[in-house]
Amino acid sequence: MRKTRSSLSRLIFGRMEIVLMPRFGAGVKFSVYPWALLLFAAAWLALTLYALFAAAQDVDCKIIKADNNIMKTKFAMIAEELSRNRKYIEMSHTTDEQMRQMLGMKGGKHINRPFGDEEEINFKEVFAKKPAEIDEKQINQYLSRTTEMAQARLASFQEIAWFYANQKNISDSTPSIKPTTDAVITSGFGYRLSPFGTFIAAFHKGLDFAGKPNSKIRVTADGVVRHAGWAQGYGQAVLVDHGFGYSTLYGHLADIKVKAGDVVKRGQFIANMGTTGRSTGVHLHYEVWKDGTPVNPRTYF
């Protein structure tokens, strides 16, 4: 055991002769301690590992910087898109007002909705700051307000669309043409003497159009047929409900072409002119009713 320790001590702390013999020229001889070689090798290994670590750190730093530059570019693009979208929303307010003026709308619960004054955020400057310097609360408030504005614009445009559709329905459902073009008006709306030989004044609820037998009768507005058939005093008749308080009646017909429940469109052929019921000759008796009251059909031509 002692011999082993002694040999190991001489190996480490004893001098070692090293001779370098080149192929040409004289050799070089020098002596070193083994522990010095071990120390040098350890130092060399430590320096090598440190250099590799430093190089790896430098590569990571460059990658992070490159990623940061890419993120800044993306943020700049997002910032530009946010600002552009906000301007589009603000521009839509003017379009909203113009559409309402063209349609004769007096406003609405969405068009004049106040949003208050707020500072415009320059997102390019915001995203150029360090993460710790960015006011997240301010950005969230701005984005929330932008969302509210977009929702209000959508609701307003939906309101305009509903108004337009409703106005179009009213227009389509309002009697606006003559029920026949092959006849002349022979009796007007209002009080008149009875055409059946008596001198009694009676209120005439519509207009009489005299024409040739089987002249075409057309419905004067969009609607739904509520009655198609015999009606006391009117003979063969058609009653059409147009909605919005309007209805029309066509009497003394022949050869009715529609039935109850049919949906009809303005100008659609619904019957031929006849002389059925209490009639003195071939003609059409035409009535227009508004909110349950007969009105003068002349005002709807």
Side-chain angles (χ1 to χ4, degrees):
M1 187 69 176
R2 289 181 179 179
K3 289 182 179 181
T4 302
R5 289 180 178 177
S6 177
S7 298
L8 183 62
S9 177
R10 285 197 302 271
L11 180 63
I12 297 175
F13 296 103
R15 297 180 67 84
M16 178 184 294
E17 296 293 334
I18 298 176
V19 179
L20 299 177
M21 296 297 294
R23 178 176 295 183
F24 302 101
V28 178
K29 179 181 179 182
F30 57 92
S31 60
V32 295
Y33 292 101
W35 63 265
L37 287 176
L38 293 174
L39 182 62
F40 177 78
W44 180 263
L45 179 62
L47 287 174
T48 302
L49 292 176
Y50 177 77
L52 291 174
F53 175 78
Q57 289 291 99
D58 183 61
V59 171
D60 288 342
C61 183
K62 289 181 179 179
I63 292 174
I64 292 173
K65 286 182 178 179
D67 289 342
N68 286 341
N69 289 332
I70 293 173
M71 290 301 296
K72 285 183 178 180
T73 302
K74 290 182 177 180
F75 278 140
M77 294 173 63
I78 293 172
E80 185 177 351
E81 189 67 22
L82 286 171
S83 299
R84 186 185 302 115
N85 290 341
R86 180 63 179 263
K87 289 179 180 178
Y88 287 153
I89 294 174
E90 292 172 351
M91 289 169 60
S92 70
H93 182 81
T94 302
T95 303
D96 196 315
E97 290 180 331
Q98 292 173 344
M99 292 176 65
R100 289 173 180 271
Q101 290 176 358
M102 289 188 295
L103 293 173
M105 297 179 68
K106 296 181 180 180
K109 63 180 181 180
H110 299 290
I111 182 64
N112 297 318
R113 182 176 177 183
F115 285 99
D117 296 330
E118 60 183 16
E119 183 180 355
E120 178 72 21
I121 296 179
N122 188 331
F123 283 100
K124 291 184 179 180
E125 295 180 359
V126 170
F127 290 135
K129 298 179 181 178
K130 295 180 179 179
E133 298 175 351
I134 296 177
D135 188 350
E136 184 178 352
K137 182 179 179 181
Q138 182 188 24
I139 294 176
N140 288 335
Q141 289 178 345
Y142 183 85
L143 294 178
S144 296
R145 186 56 60 92
T146 301
T147 300
E148 290 178 9
M149 291 177 64
Q151 291 173 341
R153 290 283 74 76
L154 174 61
S156 184
F157 284 129
Q158 289 174 336
E159 192 175 61
I160 292 172
W162 179 89
F163 179 85
Y164 173 75
N166 191 52
Q167 289 297 104
K168 185 176 185 302
N169 288 337
I170 292 176
S171 176
D172 292 343
S173 300
T174 302
S176 59
I177 64 173
K178 290 182 178 181
T180 177
T181 57
D182 300 329
V184 294
I185 298 175
T186 56
S187 183
F189 176 83
Y191 284 97
R192 67 173 185 174
L193 292 177
S194 172
F196 297 100
T198 62
F199 294 95
I200 300 175
F203 188 79
H204 192 224
K205 298 177 181 178
L207 298 178
D208 286 342
F209 293 83
K212 296 179 180 180
N214 295 321
S215 296
K216 291 184 176 181
I217 307 302
R218 302 184 183 276
V219 67
T220 57
D222 295 357
V224 178
V225 177
R226 297 303 182 193
H227 176 82
W230 190 266
Q232 184 66 35
Y234 295 99
Q236 295 293 333
V238 172
L239 175 65
V240 180
D241 181 3
H242 303 285
F244 303 98
Y246 287 106
S247 61
T248 53
L249 184 143
Y250 311 78
H252 310 302
L253 304 175
D255 193 18
I256 295 175
K257 304 295 183 180
V258 293
K259 62 182 182 300
D262 284 354
V263 176
V264 292
K265 295 292 184 179
R266 176 184 289 128
Q268 182 176 332
F269 174 36
I270 59 172
N272 290 320
M273 187 180 294
T275 183
T276 58
R278 197 161 183 257
S279 172
T280 57
V282 177
H283 76 289
L284 166 72
H285 175 76
Y286 173 61
E287 296 180 5
V288 176
W289 290 66
K290 180 68 170 76
D291 297 326
T293 303
V295 292
N296 191 348
R298 286 180 183 273
T299 60
Y300 293 92
F301 290 168

